[in-house]
Amino acid sequence: MCSRPVPREPLHRVAVTGGTHGNEMSGICLVRHWLQAPGELQRPSFSAVPVLANLAAIAACRRYVGCDLNRTFISTFLTAKASPDDPYEVTRARELNQLLGPKASSQAFDFVLDLHNTTANVGTCLIIDTNQDVFAMHLCHHLQLQNPELPCRVILYQRPGEERFSLSSVTKNGISLELGPQPQGVLRADLFSQMRALVAAVLDFIELFNQGTAFPAFEMKAYSIVGTVDFPRTKDGHLAGTVHPRLQDQDFELLQPGAPIFQMFSGEDVLYEGESTVYPVFINEAAYYEKGIAFFQTKKLTFSVPALPALTSACTPGP
């Protein structure tokens, strides 16, 4: 997997994005608020820029209007010649790449925090590409230490040999924050407040880093995606069953071979036939029906994360 280099300079160009999916309301409402009252994103050494990502989808309160924006930040789309037939999200990805990138360039923003909601029972979930992203791993660890009442589980989303395709891949460093369960197009006060506090904690960590704080090495558990499982379907592709009651809402819980995972409309149970235990995540996520995903299979791994050294050119707080 491609790793991101550890920052050697303070992070000054920071963005917080919401509405990458236009019906995930916590990030949309927070970014709209910050566009009117940006002071909450101010820190002594930097000020984060709030950005609404998928404007057309937000206006329609839909996940997307043409294709999934969070899958379009790949070279095939970003470098291709623009066409009137391009889906809106491809055009918007190029615009965001110019605003926050360009991707893999020295001119790109130093960091982006992309805000998401899910209908699945994942709680507080931090998504990064790979465990080789040392800065992101330290940030996740900091959030775990600051929020002991929240699991703050970490998912490694990128698979070996796969090009990074999400919005957070455009900048030099970045993570996605996923909170659930929350229905599409609905705003829950508890998740709104929780996301707001987590954003503040992320910005506080960047400020600590900018001021020259060193962070020691540690051991971290994370969930690495190894596969997906689709719903049982008819020959015509329609659903033939649904997630089993014993699996529903059991995100990040151990799933053993032989355990029920689906309940057919005809009444019988479908059992998990994997060769090893896994930890399912994003169980019964509404947006993944069209993608043929009932849940992701992950493995829980433990990583040794090296220390994040103090900057030698740390920022000096202003008066």
Side-chain angles (χ1 to χ4, degrees):
M1 293 184 184
C2 178
S3 61
R4 297 183 178 186
V6 175
R8 300 299 185 188
E9 300 289 338
L11 279 63
H12 294 300
R13 303 180 70 209
V14 176
V16 180
T17 53
T20 299
H21 297 132
N23 55 9
E24 298 177 4
M25 299 303 292
S26 295
I28 293 169
C29 292
L30 279 169
V31 169
R32 279 176 170 162
H33 169 71
W34 290 325
L35 286 168
Q36 299 300 316
E40 194 172 328
L41 302 182
Q42 178 71 50
R43 295 296 182 276
S45 66
F46 71 96
S47 182
V49 177
V51 177
L52 289 173
N54 195 333
L55 299 172
I58 292 169
C61 197
R62 294 168 52 185
R63 183 175 175 87
Y64 58 81
V65 296
C67 62
D68 193 331
L69 178 62
N70 215 32
R71 306 294 187 273
T72 56
F73 295 92
I74 57 175
S75 57
T76 302
F77 294 132
L78 297 181
T79 63
K81 184 178 179 180
S83 166
D85 297 327
D86 287 336
Y88 168 80
E89 280 79 10
V90 171
T91 300
R92 184 59 178 157
R94 294 182 184 128
E95 294 172 352
L96 290 168
N97 187 50
Q98 290 302 309
L99 175 66
L100 302 176
K103 185 175 180 177
S105 75
S106 60
Q107 292 77 41
F109 264 57
D110 296 313
F111 186 88
V112 64
L113 174 61
D114 193 26
L115 306 178
H116 290 263
N117 291 117
T118 173
T119 64
N121 188 36
V122 301
T124 303
C125 184
L126 309 169
I127 299 179
I128 62 177
D129 291 333
T130 163
N131 69 302
Q132 299 302 310
D133 191 340
V134 174
F135 184 85
M137 293 288 276
H138 273 273
L139 171 54
C140 293
H141 184 59
H142 177 79
L143 293 179
Q144 291 173 336
L145 294 176
Q146 294 295 310
N147 299 275
E149 76 284 1
L150 300 175
C152 283
R153 299 181 181 95
V154 176
I155 292 181
L156 308 176
Y157 203 85
Q158 185 186 0
R159 301 190 197 182
E162 185 176 59
E163 181 182 359
R164 303 205 315 269
F165 50 73
S166 65
L167 187 152
S168 63
S169 71
V170 171
T171 56
K172 295 174 184 176
N173 293 278
I175 68 169
S176 296
L177 172 60
E178 190 95 46
L179 296 186
Q182 178 168 281
Q184 296 175 339
V186 171
L187 182 65
R188 287 182 47 152
D190 54 347
L191 294 188
F192 178 88
S193 298
Q194 185 177 318
M195 181 174 282
R196 191 175 196 169
L198 287 165
V199 171
V202 169
L203 301 182
D204 290 344
F205 174 83
I206 296 174
E207 179 64 24
L208 288 172
F209 177 77
N210 284 354
Q211 301 299 348
T213 302
F215 298 91
F218 61 92
E219 297 285 310
M220 171 177 273
K221 290 182 173 61
Y223 296 81
S224 178
I225 292 177
V226 295
T228 63
V229 176
D230 192 9
F231 292 93
R233 296 182 183 270
T234 66
K235 292 180 180 180
D236 296 329
H238 301 303
L239 293 181
T242 188
V243 169
H244 197 279
R246 288 175 57 183
L247 179 63
Q248 182 64 50
D249 296 332
Q250 298 302 303
D251 297 76
F252 297 105
E253 298 297 329
L254 186 67
L255 176 63
Q256 297 180 332
I261 54 174
F262 299 114
Q263 192 171 77
M264 301 296 288
F265 297 152
S266 54
E268 67 269 22
D269 291 346
V270 176
L271 306 182
Y272 179 59
E273 296 180 350
E275 297 180 356
S276 61
T277 58
V278 294
Y279 295 82
V281 299
F282 294 111
I283 299 170
N284 213 5
E285 159 59 48
Y288 292 162
Y289 276 62
E290 67 177 29
K291 300 179 186 296
I293 299 173
F295 60 87
F296 285 89
Q297 300 162 295
T298 73
K299 289 187 176 181
K300 185 163 66 171
L301 306 172
T302 301
F303 301 98
S304 296
V305 180
L308 186 62
L311 291 175
T312 56
S313 57
C315 295
T316 301

